[in-house]
Amino acid sequence: MIVRIRGRTAIAVAAVALVTACSAAVTPARPHSRTVIAAAIMPDRDTVIINGAHPGPVFQGIGAISGGGGNSRLLIDYPPGQRAQILDYLFSPRFGASLQLLKLEIGGGGFSSDGSEPSVEPIRGQLDCGAGYEFWLARQALARNPAIKLYGLQWSAPAWVRDHRGGLWSHADMGYVVDWIRCARQNGLTISYVGGWNEHFQGTPAERAWFVNLRTALDAAGFAGTAIVAADDTPQTAEGHRRMGYAPLLAWRTVAGGMAADPSFARAVSVLGVHDTCGLPTTGYRCVVAAQARTLAARLGKPLWESELGATPATGTNPALPGPGGLARALNDAYLQAGITGILVWPLLDAIPPDLPHENRGLVLADSPWDGYYDVTPLTWVIAQTTQFTAAGWRHAAGANGDLPAGGSYDTYLAPGHSAWSMVAQTSVATAAQQVTVHVDGGLPARVVHVWSTSLRGAGQFIRRGDIIPHQGVFAALLQPGYVYTFTTTTGQSRAGGHVPAVPAAGPMPLRYTATPDSAGMANMLAPMEGSFGYVRGVLTQTAAGEPVEWQYPGRSPAPYAIVGQSTWRDYTVSAHVILPASGTAFPAPGATLIARFHGFGGTTFSRFRGYELTIRSNGAWQIVASGPAAVTLASGRVTAARSYTLSLTTRGTTISAQINGVLVAAVTNRLYRDGPAGLGSLGYYPVLYPSFTVR
């Protein structure tokens, strides 16, 4: 349908004047008491017709992704009160984002964007179903919304699943995925969807066979209800092609072509899922799906999903740019332009240390567990404009979705049994105010229409604008540029239940840290970048056994490490007692490291992080290194060979000094790194123990 900016008659114009108060940018003094009665408007061919007799495809929901990776790490360490509030903002229905889907990383101990996540099976046959925090997060989501659907996906995987080409398309990996789903069941969780290997599907016969065999293995293990999504991919094409939207088209063609060529693959896959169909990072490029994929999906009855909509900036005041405005466009246009019925936003939240590649992304910024400070971003309220007024299982309303003439779009959803409807309109790139006229028909309720809006410029988010009383099922409203509006017959929506909790003031992290176990079995606030660090029989241990199958190229000589602290930390001593595994053919000269003034790294080459390191090996060889793209050895030497050492690395101004077993071995001057978090690590993928780890 095309919606005109201006009505044809004086009556229509009068109606617009009446409803302007509901749709304007100013918060009403008493929004819940404001009722607007629309004057009689005669519908014409330009009217949006919402007809309950014309349901479209099933809406599968809007969700977010925890993983890819480590971006939820610090949430579990928040004080219980603030942690519960954050979880409510994410998952509680009609409270905040009200997410309908949750995608979880199947941890593999390898770096996967902003850190690594632990595996439930780092050594084949040795299951630890309590490893990490993803199952904990899923239980919290399910407790708040029993209808939420869970989805698992791999970025990395433990070394033992590696195939002959170094990847994940192995029989062993297929069994590992089934083991992870078994662990989820032990945690009281049902995994509704599972994928393959994030952004690695090339459509080869071996890859298609992996999905076919996974379907067989799931059925045999009692998980016939777990649907397979393929292929969670966006090919790495040239940036110019990506900007033009070719990369998603190639991904859709790859998975659809595979299904057309291989009927067993088509039978195994329940959902066609591709990443960044609506742009990267949500820049408002047109949502694209290859015609072959749409035709095949329709013929086979399979839904199309945006299985990752990635890296949207959390804030922004220009609705035309990436950020809240870009997300509003993507959510509305996915079905309108591409027939997509399920969307997962990445990442769920920012709960990570500083200086990592994807800071300030997500629905909540929650990286201050020491004081409980957090910030609910505008992305939450953009999502809420759809999720608080719909549910998975509703249907898109055929014919009641389209573009707005002055810029923007609208989409409409129908509840089962004609019981309710909601229409979401976004005007992120609108050039002027514009009228929309709506005619509700086909047995749908139309006595009262409630109006909510969110500004895409940062002020006035998720505001109840008032009510409209249609005349004979018809009403009009004036849409201002730079907003998301929802017109609905549902009730019960709220911003934080109508009682927005007070958030503690932000403060610096105390420069006094001692590693202790947290509820995830990890060291409190310690964030692994590579490898896996958890408590084994009461001792903090590096548990990755062999280099994981990495998601992307890690850089030269990768090794496990983890960090803790703030970018403002400057002068401190980081100390640890380390116990190395015995030297031998498996671990020649194993070693450990301490880190000071961590300054992040470029892209995915996490092995070349910037910062100072003190390394020690079992043969007694030690070094102080200014790490980075071009590492510089500042001092080196040798002490008595041993399996156990007490290490300290101190930064004071431009002086970097180190002690081993209480003896000063070096004090050097270097100006390269002025401040940053501390950390620890091992020099290989073997079990290093850390009976103590402190920062003072």
Side-chain angles (χ1 to χ4, degrees):
M1 285 292 169
I2 298 174
V3 181
R4 296 180 309 164
I5 298 176
R6 296 181 178 85
R8 292 183 178 178
T9 67
I11 295 177
V13 173
V16 171
L18 285 170
V19 300
T20 297
C22 286
S23 54
V26 180
T27 303
R30 297 179 61 195
H32 293 279
S33 65
R34 179 164 298 191
T35 298
V36 177
I37 302 175
I41 306 170
M42 295 302 295
D44 60 25
R45 63 181 178 84
D46 292 335
T47 299
V48 177
I49 299 176
I50 304 174
N51 193 327
H54 298 154
V58 174
F59 168 63
Q60 271 94 27
I62 296 172
I65 304 171
S66 173
N71 39 58
S72 302
R73 167 64 192 103
L74 299 180
L75 177 59
I76 198 168
D77 292 328
Y78 260 72
Q82 285 75 45
R83 185 176 62 202
Q85 292 164 13
I86 295 168
L87 291 164
D88 283 340
Y89 275 116
L90 296 172
F91 302 117
S92 291
R94 298 182 175 181
F95 189 95
S98 303
L99 295 175
Q100 298 154 337
L101 298 164
L102 175 61
K103 189 173 181 178
L104 307 169
E105 177 167 354
I106 301 174
F111 177 82
S112 53
S113 289
D114 287 311
S116 61
E117 303 201 13
S119 168
V120 298
E121 197 174 6
I123 299 172
R124 188 171 195 166
Q126 297 183 17
L127 274 177
D128 176 9
C129 293
Y133 45 84
E134 293 290 6
F135 291 148
W136 166 83
L137 180 65
R139 291 196 304 271
Q140 298 300 314
L142 197 65
R144 287 162 170 80
N145 178 10
I148 198 167
K149 300 296 184 184
L150 304 177
Y151 176 171
L153 183 68
Q154 299 177 97
W155 275 254
S156 71
W160 63 268
V161 311
R162 184 176 277 106
D163 64 21
H164 68 285
R165 294 183 177 179
L168 291 188
W169 307 111
S170 67
H171 185 80
D173 181 60
M174 181 187 64
Y176 175 61
V177 172
V178 174
D179 284 346
W180 183 85
I181 296 175
R182 286 194 180 101
C183 277
R185 183 168 59 186
Q186 276 190 227
N187 279 271
L189 304 170
T190 297
I191 302 301
S192 297
Y193 304 97
V194 68
W197 186 10
N198 184 67
E199 297 178 352
H200 278 78
F201 184 76
Q202 299 299 314
T204 67
E207 292 167 356
R208 297 198 304 266
W210 186 92
F211 284 98
V212 173
N213 292 331
L214 176 62
R215 178 72 274 158
T216 300
L218 289 169
D219 293 346
F223 299 115
T226 299
I228 293 177
V229 182
D232 275 298
D233 195 38
T234 294
Q236 299 300 308
T237 61
E239 181 61 25
H241 283 187
R242 183 182 299 282
R243 282 198 295 267
M244 296 175 71
Y246 295 159
L249 279 174
L250 288 172
W252 285 112
R253 288 171 185 155
T254 300
V255 67
M259 295 177 74
D262 187 345
S264 61
F265 177 56
R267 287 192 297 270
V269 174
S270 298
V271 178
L272 280 69
V274 169
H275 295 185
D276 302 316
T277 291
C278 292
L280 179 68
T282 322
T283 47
Y285 307 132
R286 187 169 181 82
C287 302
V288 291
V289 169
Q292 177 192 20
R294 294 189 73 163
T295 301
L296 184 69
R299 178 164 61 84
L300 299 177
K302 299 182 187 296
L304 303 172
W305 280 18
E306 178 119 24
S307 52
E308 179 181 312
L309 178 64
T312 304
T315 57
T317 57
N318 186 339
L321 295 180
L327 181 61
R329 288 190 293 280
L331 297 183
N332 246 38
D333 293 349
Y335 173 70
L336 168 65
Q337 296 175 352
I340 289 169
T341 56
I343 303 173
L344 289 129
V345 177
W346 181 85
L348 173 70
L349 72 166
D350 171 345
I352 57 177
D355 297 321
L356 297 180
H358 299 95
E359 288 186 285
N360 302 318
R361 304 289 196 270
L363 313 188
V364 181
L365 307 183
D367 45 22
S368 301
W370 54 87
D371 57 26
Y373 174 79
Y374 64 89
D375 182 28
V376 180
T377 76
L379 303 185
T380 289
W381 306 114
V382 171
I383 291 173
Q385 290 283 156
T386 299
T387 54
Q388 287 210 26
F389 304 93
T390 63
W394 284 35
R395 288 185 176 271
H396 292 274
N401 45 79
D403 293 321
L404 295 169
S409 59
Y410 61 96
D411 198 4
T412 308
Y413 306 83
L414 305 178
H418 297 77
S419 59
W421 59 267
S422 297
M423 185 178 82
V424 183
Q426 62 84 20
T427 59
S428 60
V429 292
T431 56
Q434 54 196 311
Q435 176 189 335
V436 58
T437 303
V438 179
H439 182 198
V440 184
D441 202 355
L444 294 172
R447 294 183 61 189
V448 180
V449 177
H450 313 291
V451 186
W452 292 72
S453 72
T454 286
S455 169
L456 299 174
R457 293 187 171 88
Q461 295 166 342
F462 209 69
I463 303 297
R464 170 86 179 272
R465 309 310 326 185
D467 298 330
I468 298 173
I469 299 178
H471 179 77
Q472 296 180 353
V474 182
F475 68 92
L478 190 68
L479 308 181
Q480 301 290 343
Y483 278 82
V484 184
Y485 295 96
T486 305
F487 301 88
T488 185
T489 59
T490 65
T491 58
Q493 293 77 18
S494 73
R495 184 182 173 99
H499 304 283
V500 178
V503 178
M509 181 176 178
L511 222 171
R512 189 173 185 86
Y513 173 83
T514 299
T516 57
D518 67 9
S519 300
M522 303 169 73
N524 59 309
M525 295 187 279
L526 183 71
M529 295 294 102
E530 171 69 353
S532 184
F533 296 82
Y535 280 84
V536 179
R537 292 183 288 277
V539 178
L540 181 62
T541 305
Q542 197 295 116
T543 59
E547 182 182 349
V549 181
E550 302 286 3
W551 173 53
Q552 293 185 4
Y553 173 65
R556 298 187 304 277
S557 304
Y561 68 97
I563 60 173
V564 64
Q566 282 195 296
S567 56
T568 54
W569 282 13
R570 176 171 295 184
D571 296 334
Y572 57 83
T573 296
V574 53
S575 304
H577 177 205
V578 302
I579 301 174
L580 306 175
S583 298
T585 55
F587 311 129
T593 183
L594 291 182
I595 299 168
R597 294 183 178 175
F598 174 82
H599 259 244
F601 44 84
T604 60
T605 54
F606 59 84
S607 65
R608 294 298 179 185
F609 68 84
R610 298 182 290 270
Y612 296 113
E613 286 187 272
L614 167 63
T615 68
I616 185 76
R617 291 190 178 272
S618 60
N619 61 12
W622 62 267
Q623 288 184 313
I624 299 177
V625 179
S627 187
V632 177
T633 299
L634 304 178
S636 62
R638 189 177 293 270
V639 296
T640 302
R643 285 187 57 197
S644 175
Y645 298 98
T646 299
L647 308 176
S648 294
L649 180 62
T650 299
T651 55
R652 292 285 186 275
T654 59
T655 300
I656 299 93
S657 59
Q659 291 189 10
I660 301 175
N661 296 332
V663 176
L664 180 68
V665 295
V668 298
T669 298
N670 188 273
R671 300 177 181 275
L672 195 56
Y673 304 117
R674 298 182 58 189
D675 44 36
L680 82 172
S682 61
L683 299 183
Y685 298 88
Y686 36 65
V688 175
L689 280 62
Y690 308 88
S692 67
F693 174 59
T694 62
V695 185
R696 297 287 186 267

mmCIF file of all heavy atoms in Angstrom, residues 466-502:
data_model
loop_
_atom_site.group_PDB
_atom_site.id
_atom_site.type_symbol
_atom_site.label_atom_id
_atom_site.label_comp_id
_atom_site.label_asym_id
_atom_site.label_seq_id
_atom_site.Cartn_x
_atom_site.Cartn_y
_atom_site.Cartn_z
ATOM 1 N N GLY A 466 -0.743 8.186 23.993
ATOM 2 C CA GLY A 466 -2.174 8.364 24.205
ATOM 3 C C GLY A 466 -2.962 7.324 23.434
ATOM 4 O O GLY A 466 -2.421 6.332 22.965
ATOM 5 N N ASP A 467 -4.261 7.556 23.291
ATOM 6 C CA ASP A 467 -5.165 6.614 22.633
ATOM 7 C C ASP A 467 -5.912 7.296 21.501
ATOM 8 O O ASP A 467 -6.215 8.494 21.570
ATOM 9 C CB ASP A 467 -6.179 6.049 23.620
ATOM 10 C CG ASP A 467 -5.522 5.262 24.742
ATOM 11 O OD1 ASP A 467 -4.449 4.671 24.518
ATOM 12 O OD2 ASP A 467 -6.089 5.248 25.847
ATOM 13 N N ILE A 468 -6.230 6.520 20.488
ATOM 14 C CA ILE A 468 -7.068 6.975 19.379
ATOM 15 C C ILE A 468 -8.339 6.118 19.365
ATOM 16 O O ILE A 468 -8.265 4.898 19.515
ATOM 17 C CB ILE A 468 -6.342 6.833 18.030
ATOM 18 C CG1 ILE A 468 -5.080 7.697 18.002
ATOM 19 C CG2 ILE A 468 -7.261 7.183 16.862
ATOM 20 C CD1 ILE A 468 -4.229 7.474 16.770
ATOM 21 N N ILE A 469 -9.475 6.764 19.189
ATOM 22 C CA ILE A 469 -10.731 6.036 19.014
ATOM 23 C C ILE A 469 -11.123 6.145 17.539
ATOM 24 O O ILE A 469 -11.525 7.212 17.077
ATOM 25 C CB ILE A 469 -11.845 6.594 19.917
ATOM 26 C CG1 ILE A 469 -11.437 6.445 21.384
ATOM 27 C CG2 ILE A 469 -13.165 5.869 19.637
ATOM 28 C CD1 ILE A 469 -12.440 7.005 22.354
ATOM 29 N N PRO A 470 -10.935 5.056 16.772
ATOM 30 C CA PRO A 470 -11.255 5.126 15.339
ATOM 31 C C PRO A 470 -12.747 5.342 15.105
ATOM 32 O O PRO A 470 -13.587 5.051 15.963
ATOM 33 C CB PRO A 470 -10.812 3.759 14.817
ATOM 34 C CG PRO A 470 -9.869 3.229 15.860
ATOM 35 C CD PRO A 470 -10.387 3.757 17.166
ATOM 36 N N HIS A 471 -13.073 5.845 13.921
ATOM 37 C CA HIS A 471 -14.461 6.001 13.499
ATOM 38 C C HIS A 471 -14.738 4.956 12.425
ATOM 39 O O HIS A 471 -14.151 4.991 11.340
ATOM 40 C CB HIS A 471 -14.704 7.404 12.944
ATOM 41 C CG HIS A 471 -16.108 7.621 12.462
ATOM 42 N ND1 HIS A 471 -17.161 7.839 13.325
ATOM 43 C CD2 HIS A 471 -16.637 7.635 11.213
ATOM 44 C CE1 HIS A 471 -18.269 7.988 12.637
ATOM 45 N NE2 HIS A 471 -17.978 7.873 11.336
ATOM 46 N N GLN A 472 -15.605 4.005 12.758
ATOM 47 C CA GLN A 472 -15.932 2.916 11.847
ATOM 48 C C GLN A 472 -14.672 2.205 11.358
ATOM 49 O O GLN A 472 -14.525 1.873 10.176
ATOM 50 C CB GLN A 472 -16.757 3.430 10.664
ATOM 51 C CG GLN A 472 -18.116 3.988 11.102
ATOM 52 C CD GLN A 472 -18.934 4.485 9.923
ATOM 53 O OE1 GLN A 472 -18.471 4.536 8.789
ATOM 54 N NE2 GLN A 472 -20.178 4.873 10.194
ATOM 55 N N GLY A 473 -13.756 1.995 12.288
ATOM 56 C CA GLY A 473 -12.530 1.268 11.983
ATOM 57 C C GLY A 473 -11.455 2.070 11.298
ATOM 58 O O GLY A 473 -10.423 1.512 10.910
ATOM 59 N N VAL A 474 -11.626 3.386 11.151
ATOM 60 C CA VAL A 474 -10.672 4.213 10.408
ATOM 61 C C VAL A 474 -10.102 5.289 11.327
ATOM 62 O O VAL A 474 -10.823 5.894 12.125
ATOM 63 C CB VAL A 474 -11.347 4.873 9.186
ATOM 64 C CG1 VAL A 474 -10.336 5.700 8.399
ATOM 65 C CG2 VAL A 474 -11.970 3.810 8.293
ATOM 66 N N PHE A 475 -8.788 5.508 11.230
ATOM 67 C CA PHE A 475 -8.159 6.606 11.958
ATOM 68 C C PHE A 475 -6.967 7.111 11.159
ATOM 69 O O PHE A 475 -6.508 6.462 10.211
ATOM 70 C CB PHE A 475 -7.713 6.166 13.359
ATOM 71 C CG PHE A 475 -6.582 5.175 13.383
ATOM 72 C CD1 PHE A 475 -5.256 5.590 13.459
ATOM 73 C CD2 PHE A 475 -6.839 3.809 13.339
ATOM 74 C CE1 PHE A 475 -4.221 4.676 13.487
ATOM 75 C CE2 PHE A 475 -5.810 2.881 13.369
ATOM 76 C CZ PHE A 475 -4.487 3.312 13.436
ATOM 77 N N ALA A 476 -6.494 8.285 11.525
ATOM 78 C CA ALA A 476 -5.328 8.883 10.876
ATOM 79 C C ALA A 476 -4.366 9.377 11.938
ATOM 80 O O ALA A 476 -4.756 9.666 13.069
ATOM 81 C CB ALA A 476 -5.750 10.033 9.962
ATOM 82 N N ALA A 477 -3.090 9.457 11.575
ATOM 83 C CA ALA A 477 -2.077 9.977 12.494
ATOM 84 C C ALA A 477 -0.994 10.673 11.700
ATOM 85 O O ALA A 477 -0.760 10.355 10.529
ATOM 86 C CB ALA A 477 -1.483 8.845 13.324
ATOM 87 N N LEU A 478 -0.358 11.611 12.328
ATOM 88 C CA LEU A 478 0.740 12.354 11.708
ATOM 89 C C LEU A 478 2.051 11.828 12.270
ATOM 90 O O LEU A 478 2.261 11.839 13.486
ATOM 91 C CB LEU A 478 0.600 13.847 11.997
ATOM 92 C CG LEU A 478 1.549 14.765 11.220
ATOM 93 C CD1 LEU A 478 1.203 14.752 9.737
ATOM 94 C CD2 LEU A 478 1.471 16.194 11.765
ATOM 95 N N LEU A 479 2.920 11.355 11.394
ATOM 96 C CA LEU A 479 4.196 10.784 11.799
ATOM 97 C C LEU A 479 5.310 11.806 11.583
ATOM 98 O O LEU A 479 5.523 12.269 10.461
ATOM 99 C CB LEU A 479 4.486 9.524 10.980
ATOM 100 C CG LEU A 479 3.392 8.454 10.928
ATOM 101 C CD1 LEU A 479 3.858 7.262 10.102
ATOM 102 C CD2 LEU A 479 2.975 8.024 12.322
ATOM 103 N N GLN A 480 6.009 12.131 12.637
ATOM 104 C CA GLN A 480 7.111 13.077 12.553
ATOM 105 C C GLN A 480 8.396 12.349 12.144
ATOM 106 O O GLN A 480 8.566 11.158 12.422
ATOM 107 C CB GLN A 480 7.318 13.762 13.905
ATOM 108 C CG GLN A 480 6.120 14.527 14.425
ATOM 109 C CD GLN A 480 5.837 15.781 13.609
ATOM 110 O OE1 GLN A 480 6.695 16.256 12.866
ATOM 111 N NE2 GLN A 480 4.628 16.324 13.754
ATOM 112 N N PRO A 481 9.330 13.020 11.500
ATOM 113 C CA PRO A 481 10.590 12.375 11.125
ATOM 114 C C PRO A 481 11.402 11.972 12.358
ATOM 115 O O PRO A 481 11.350 12.632 13.405
ATOM 116 C CB PRO A 481 11.323 13.464 10.329
ATOM 117 C CG PRO A 481 10.265 14.427 9.904
ATOM 118 C CD PRO A 481 9.229 14.409 10.990
ATOM 119 N N GLY A 482 12.140 10.875 12.233
ATOM 120 C CA GLY A 482 13.072 10.475 13.279
ATOM 121 C C GLY A 482 12.459 9.711 14.431
ATOM 122 O O GLY A 482 12.950 9.819 15.561
ATOM 123 N N TYR A 483 11.440 8.902 14.181
ATOM 124 C CA TYR A 483 10.748 8.178 15.247
ATOM 125 C C TYR A 483 10.454 6.733 14.841
ATOM 126 O O TYR A 483 10.438 6.382 13.670
ATOM 127 C CB TYR A 483 9.413 8.858 15.579
ATOM 128 C CG TYR A 483 9.553 10.034 16.500
ATOM 129 C CD1 TYR A 483 9.907 11.278 15.993
ATOM 130 C CD2 TYR A 483 9.361 9.896 17.873
ATOM 131 C CE1 TYR A 483 10.058 12.363 16.833
ATOM 132 C CE2 TYR A 483 9.506 10.982 18.717
ATOM 133 C CZ TYR A 483 9.863 12.208 18.200
ATOM 134 O OH TYR A 483 10.022 13.279 19.033
ATOM 135 N N VAL A 484 10.179 5.925 15.866
ATOM 136 C CA VAL A 484 9.480 4.657 15.695
ATOM 137 C C VAL A 484 8.159 4.792 16.426
ATOM 138 O O VAL A 484 8.127 5.216 17.595
ATOM 139 C CB VAL A 484 10.263 3.467 16.280
ATOM 140 C CG1 VAL A 484 9.527 2.158 15.980
ATOM 141 C CG2 VAL A 484 11.662 3.409 15.726
ATOM 142 N N TYR A 485 7.064 4.453 15.756
ATOM 143 C CA TYR A 485 5.734 4.494 16.355
ATOM 144 C C TYR A 485 5.140 3.092 16.376
ATOM 145 O O TYR A 485 5.366 2.300 15.456
ATOM 146 C CB TYR A 485 4.791 5.377 15.528
ATOM 147 C CG TYR A 485 5.151 6.836 15.471
ATOM 148 C CD1 TYR A 485 5.881 7.353 14.407
ATOM 149 C CD2 TYR A 485 4.741 7.709 16.471
ATOM 150 C CE1 TYR A 485 6.197 8.700 14.328
ATOM 151 C CE2 TYR A 485 5.047 9.060 16.414
ATOM 152 C CZ TYR A 485 5.784 9.554 15.338
ATOM 153 O OH TYR A 485 6.093 10.879 15.286
ATOM 154 N N THR A 486 4.366 2.814 17.400
ATOM 155 C CA THR A 486 3.565 1.591 17.420
ATOM 156 C C THR A 486 2.116 1.951 17.687
ATOM 157 O O THR A 486 1.803 2.662 18.650
ATOM 158 C CB THR A 486 4.056 0.607 18.497
ATOM 159 O OG1 THR A 486 5.439 0.345 18.303
ATOM 160 C CG2 THR A 486 3.282 -0.706 18.405
ATOM 161 N N PHE A 487 1.241 1.463 16.813
ATOM 162 C CA PHE A 487 -0.205 1.570 16.979
ATOM 163 C C PHE A 487 -0.697 0.167 17.298
ATOM 164 O O PHE A 487 -0.425 -0.772 16.545
ATOM 165 C CB PHE A 487 -0.859 2.104 15.702
ATOM 166 C CG PHE A 487 -0.360 3.457 15.286
ATOM 167 C CD1 PHE A 487 0.761 3.575 14.468
ATOM 168 C CD2 PHE A 487 -0.989 4.606 15.732
ATOM 169 C CE1 PHE A 487 1.237 4.825 14.094
ATOM 170 C CE2 PHE A 487 -0.513 5.865 15.358
ATOM 171 C CZ PHE A 487 0.603 5.973 14.535
ATOM 172 N N THR A 488 -1.429 0.012 18.393
ATOM 173 C CA THR A 488 -1.724 -1.336 18.863
ATOM 174 C C THR A 488 -3.048 -1.403 19.609
ATOM 175 O O THR A 488 -3.507 -0.400 20.182
ATOM 176 C CB THR A 488 -0.593 -1.823 19.795
ATOM 177 O OG1 THR A 488 -0.826 -3.175 20.168
ATOM 178 C CG2 THR A 488 -0.504 -0.960 21.051
ATOM 179 N N THR A 489 -3.638 -2.585 19.635
ATOM 180 C CA THR A 489 -4.799 -2.818 20.498
ATOM 181 C C THR A 489 -4.405 -3.616 21.732
ATOM 182 O O THR A 489 -5.271 -3.953 22.548
ATOM 183 C CB THR A 489 -5.895 -3.582 19.727
ATOM 184 O OG1 THR A 489 -5.377 -4.829 19.269
ATOM 185 C CG2 THR A 489 -6.401 -2.757 18.559
ATOM 186 N N THR A 490 -3.114 -3.942 21.877
ATOM 187 C CA THR A 490 -2.650 -4.649 23.072
ATOM 188 C C THR A 490 -2.439 -3.660 24.213
ATOM 189 O O THR A 490 -2.305 -2.455 23.997
ATOM 190 C CB THR A 490 -1.337 -5.393 22.796
ATOM 191 O OG1 THR A 490 -0.305 -4.432 22.514
ATOM 192 C CG2 THR A 490 -1.484 -6.351 21.632
ATOM 193 N N THR A 491 -2.377 -4.178 25.422
ATOM 194 C CA THR A 491 -2.136 -3.348 26.604
ATOM 195 C C THR A 491 -1.088 -4.021 27.493
ATOM 196 O O THR A 491 -0.702 -5.163 27.262
ATOM 197 C CB THR A 491 -3.429 -3.141 27.408
ATOM 198 O OG1 THR A 491 -3.942 -4.424 27.794
ATOM 199 C CG2 THR A 491 -4.473 -2.397 26.597
ATOM 200 N N GLY A 492 -0.663 -3.311 28.510
ATOM 201 C CA GLY A 492 0.259 -3.880 29.487
ATOM 202 C C GLY A 492 1.714 -3.532 29.259
ATOM 203 O O GLY A 492 2.581 -3.962 30.022
ATOM 204 N N GLN A 493 2.007 -2.755 28.225
ATOM 205 C CA GLN A 493 3.396 -2.393 27.969
ATOM 206 C C GLN A 493 3.913 -1.421 29.029
ATOM 207 O O GLN A 493 3.131 -0.717 29.679
ATOM 208 C CB GLN A 493 3.541 -1.752 26.581
ATOM 209 C CG GLN A 493 3.271 -2.695 25.424
ATOM 210 C CD GLN A 493 1.798 -2.962 25.172
ATOM 211 O OE1 GLN A 493 0.936 -2.209 25.626
ATOM 212 N NE2 GLN A 493 1.496 -4.027 24.449
ATOM 213 N N SER A 494 5.229 -1.387 29.179
ATOM 214 C CA SER A 494 5.796 -0.465 30.169
ATOM 215 C C SER A 494 7.263 -0.243 29.897
ATOM 216 O O SER A 494 7.908 -0.999 29.170
ATOM 217 C CB SER A 494 5.640 -1.034 31.586
ATOM 218 O OG SER A 494 6.546 -2.111 31.786
ATOM 219 N N ARG A 495 7.758 0.791 30.494
ATOM 220 C CA ARG A 495 9.196 1.034 30.561
ATOM 221 C C ARG A 495 9.619 0.653 31.975
ATOM 222 O O ARG A 495 9.318 1.353 32.941
ATOM 223 C CB ARG A 495 9.507 2.497 30.273
ATOM 224 C CG ARG A 495 10.995 2.833 30.217
ATOM 225 C CD ARG A 495 11.168 4.330 29.984
ATOM 226 N NE ARG A 495 12.564 4.729 30.088
ATOM 227 C CZ ARG A 495 13.369 4.921 29.056
ATOM 228 N NH1 ARG A 495 12.914 4.767 27.829
ATOM 229 N NH2 ARG A 495 14.620 5.284 29.240
ATOM 230 N N ALA A 496 10.257 -0.516 32.098
ATOM 231 C CA ALA A 496 10.716 -1.037 33.391
ATOM 232 C C ALA A 496 9.565 -1.208 34.368
ATOM 233 O O ALA A 496 9.677 -0.869 35.547
ATOM 234 C CB ALA A 496 11.789 -0.137 33.983
ATOM 235 N N GLY A 497 8.458 -1.736 33.875
ATOM 236 C CA GLY A 497 7.329 -2.005 34.745
ATOM 237 C C GLY A 497 6.696 -0.762 35.331
ATOM 238 O O GLY A 497 5.929 -0.846 36.299
ATOM 239 N N GLY A 498 6.996 0.405 34.762
ATOM 240 C CA GLY A 498 6.471 1.664 35.275
ATOM 241 C C GLY A 498 7.226 2.198 36.471
ATOM 242 O O GLY A 498 6.884 3.260 36.997
ATOM 243 N N HIS A 499 8.255 1.485 36.901
ATOM 244 C CA HIS A 499 9.043 1.917 38.051
ATOM 245 C C HIS A 499 10.519 1.751 37.705
ATOM 246 O O HIS A 499 11.151 0.751 38.044
ATOM 247 C CB HIS A 499 8.698 1.106 39.300
ATOM 248 C CG HIS A 499 7.241 1.139 39.664
ATOM 249 N ND1 HIS A 499 6.652 2.221 40.290
ATOM 250 C CD2 HIS A 499 6.243 0.236 39.452
ATOM 251 C CE1 HIS A 499 5.363 1.977 40.468
ATOM 252 N NE2 HIS A 499 5.089 0.779 39.967
ATOM 253 N N VAL A 500 11.065 2.724 36.991
ATOM 254 C CA VAL A 500 12.447 2.633 36.518
ATOM 255 C C VAL A 500 13.394 2.602 37.713
ATOM 256 O O VAL A 500 13.397 3.514 38.543
ATOM 257 C CB VAL A 500 12.785 3.823 35.606
ATOM 258 C CG1 VAL A 500 14.243 3.752 35.158
ATOM 259 C CG2 VAL A 500 11.850 3.838 34.396
ATOM 260 N N PRO A 501 14.189 1.532 37.851
ATOM 261 C CA PRO A 501 15.069 1.436 39.026
ATOM 262 C C PRO A 501 16.209 2.439 38.964
ATOM 263 O O PRO A 501 16.690 2.800 37.884
ATOM 264 C CB PRO A 501 15.601 -0.003 38.944
ATOM 265 C CG PRO A 501 15.484 -0.373 37.507
ATOM 266 C CD PRO A 501 14.286 0.351 36.982
ATOM 267 N N ALA A 502 16.607 2.889 40.136
ATOM 268 C CA ALA A 502 17.762 3.776 40.217
ATOM 269 C C ALA A 502 19.024 2.984 39.898
ATOM 270 O O ALA A 502 19.182 1.838 40.328
ATOM 271 C CB ALA A 502 17.861 4.386 41.613
#
